Amino acid sequence: MKTPADIITRLQLMSQDGTKSDRRLAGLVLSDLDFASKAAISEIAARVGVSEPTVTRFCRNLGCEGLRDFKFYLAQAIAIGGQYLSPEPLSRDAREQRIASAITEAAISAIQRASENLDMTTLVSVAARIATSGNVLCIGSGGISSMMATEMQNRLFRLGLPVLAQIDGQLQRMYAAVATPETTLVAFSVSGYARSVIEAVQVAQQYGATTVAITAPDSALAKAADTVIHLQSFEDGNIYKPTSSRYALLAIVDMIVTSVAETRGPKVLENLRRIKQSVNTLKVDDPRLPLGD
């Protein structure tokens, strides 16, 4: 029998489009996940007011072999995404708290944790390698890591470095395949298990490239790269708020780029001057504005 891909979605659809008994059973499960995951077939049938064979048919209509199979997939769904199914209601104080405070405090905390656990000797060494590279390839997959790969490109090009960001999985491998010993590949992954990123690192190593990973300690990517800058993601349990880990990752990017700029020294200034001149001439002539941002 076909394995249910997402038992919760199937239950939600069943509660709307199923037979009368199926709708009642789906409604019970969705309203009391804990009961449904533990109750005997007789208890479920009694609570809804249907027969035990009806419960079995309900499970089969969901794509399961029976109640036991259904409970397995339900338990799996609860373990993976349970916090999103039955979130604690927001208290009045939480609702009235300023969003700005919640976001800024979490961002500051994430940056502080990253800084405290950062090996600056390794970071400065990575920056020194980037500063003298023939070319730099920045790769990342997913919302945060792909954004950081692009941001690294945005910061390094203005320092006079030939740099490219690539967030497409297939192209990551292709660009890695034309790497040379003069290439430095910088790989981003918050989890450390983005397959295309790991494979691109392994491909680039075959051609002598230096590979750097900014990722979780002991992850698959950390084990694959030559050098690792550790980033341990900590979530604060607020499922309504975007993850604050990206602030920590951005801080690490800024530290690397600042160190690269200092390593390259005064020769980066002419590029920065040209960018400032170009942008301010075309836009607003205000020297206080950020450099091209």
Side-chain angles (χ1 to χ4, degrees):
M1 186 170 291
K2 187 176 181 180
T3 301
D6 183 350
I7 195 69
I8 299 299
T9 296
R10 288 175 178 256
L11 283 164
Q12 291 168 342
L13 293 173
M14 186 76 76
S15 68
Q16 299 173 8
D17 304 325
T19 64
K20 183 177 179 179
S21 59
D22 282 348
R23 290 198 305 271
R24 291 166 60 190
L25 284 162
L28 167 67
V29 175
L30 292 171
S31 65
D32 196 341
L33 295 169
D34 184 64
F35 170 79
S37 65
K38 299 175 182 177
I41 189 170
S42 58
E43 295 173 315
I44 295 174
R47 178 171 292 195
V48 179
V50 298
S51 65
E52 293 182 18
T54 299
V55 177
T56 300
R57 283 195 298 272
F58 165 74
C59 295
R60 290 175 178 170
N61 289 341
L62 288 168
C64 303
E65 294 181 0
L67 182 62
R68 182 177 180 180
D69 195 39
F70 166 72
K71 285 185 176 182
F72 169 80
Y73 290 112
L74 184 61
Q76 188 179 64
I78 293 172
I80 295 172
Q83 62 178 333
Y84 301 100
L85 298 172
S86 301
E88 292 293 328
L90 292 175
S91 66
R92 179 173 180 177
D93 289 342
R95 289 198 304 270
E96 294 178 355
Q97 181 184 21
R98 284 200 238 171
I99 291 177
S101 296
I103 296 299
T104 53
E105 288 172 8
I108 292 169
S109 179
I111 293 171
Q112 287 177 335
R113 281 195 302 266
S115 179
E116 290 167 359
N117 295 308
L118 200 58
D119 182 346
M120 285 303 297
T121 300
T122 298
L123 187 146
V124 171
S125 175
V126 166
R129 164 63 192 184
I130 292 173
T132 57
S133 294
N135 59 85
V136 182
L137 176 60
C138 307
I139 62 174
S141 297
I144 300 174
S145 298
S146 60
M147 179 175 68
M148 291 305 151
T150 303
E151 177 64 6
M152 179 71 90
Q153 173 188 262
N154 181 36
R155 296 298 153 190
L156 291 179
F157 91 85
R158 63 188 73 197
L159 303 181
L161 288 166
V163 56
L164 176 71
Q166 189 50 255
I167 62 175
D168 178 89
Q170 189 71 5
L171 286 173
Q172 287 171 355
R173 300 181 190 90
M174 293 168 65
Y175 276 96
V178 296
T180 70
E182 288 71 45
T183 300
T184 298
L185 184 151
V186 183
F188 295 89
S189 177
V190 176
S191 69
Y193 291 94
R195 181 176 299 177
S196 67
V197 174
I198 296 168
E199 291 175 353
V201 165
Q202 294 169 336
V203 170
Q205 287 172 334
Q206 295 177 30
Y207 300 100
T210 297
T211 58
V212 178
I214 304 175
T215 190
D218 302 318
S219 63
L221 178 58
K223 294 174 183 176
D226 299 320
T227 304
V228 182
I229 296 175
H230 293 156
L231 171 70
Q232 186 65 66
S233 174
F234 293 95
E235 300 304 320
D236 57 16
N238 185 343
I239 62 175
Y240 296 97
K241 177 180 66 61
T243 177
S244 298
S245 297
R246 67 193 191 284
Y247 296 107
L249 194 51
L250 181 59
I252 291 174
V253 168
D254 284 357
M255 292 178 201
I256 293 172
V257 173
T258 300
S259 184
V260 170
E262 291 182 354
T263 300
R264 289 179 66 80
K267 62 184 176 181
V268 307
L269 298 179
E270 176 60 15
N271 279 355
L272 300 179
R273 185 198 66 78
R274 291 185 186 184
I275 294 170
K276 189 70 171 178
Q277 174 70 25
S278 174
V279 172
N280 277 38
T281 300
L282 295 175
K283 294 185 178 180
V284 179
D285 187 11
D286 185 349
R288 297 171 299 177
L289 294 175
L291 186 65
D293 293 17

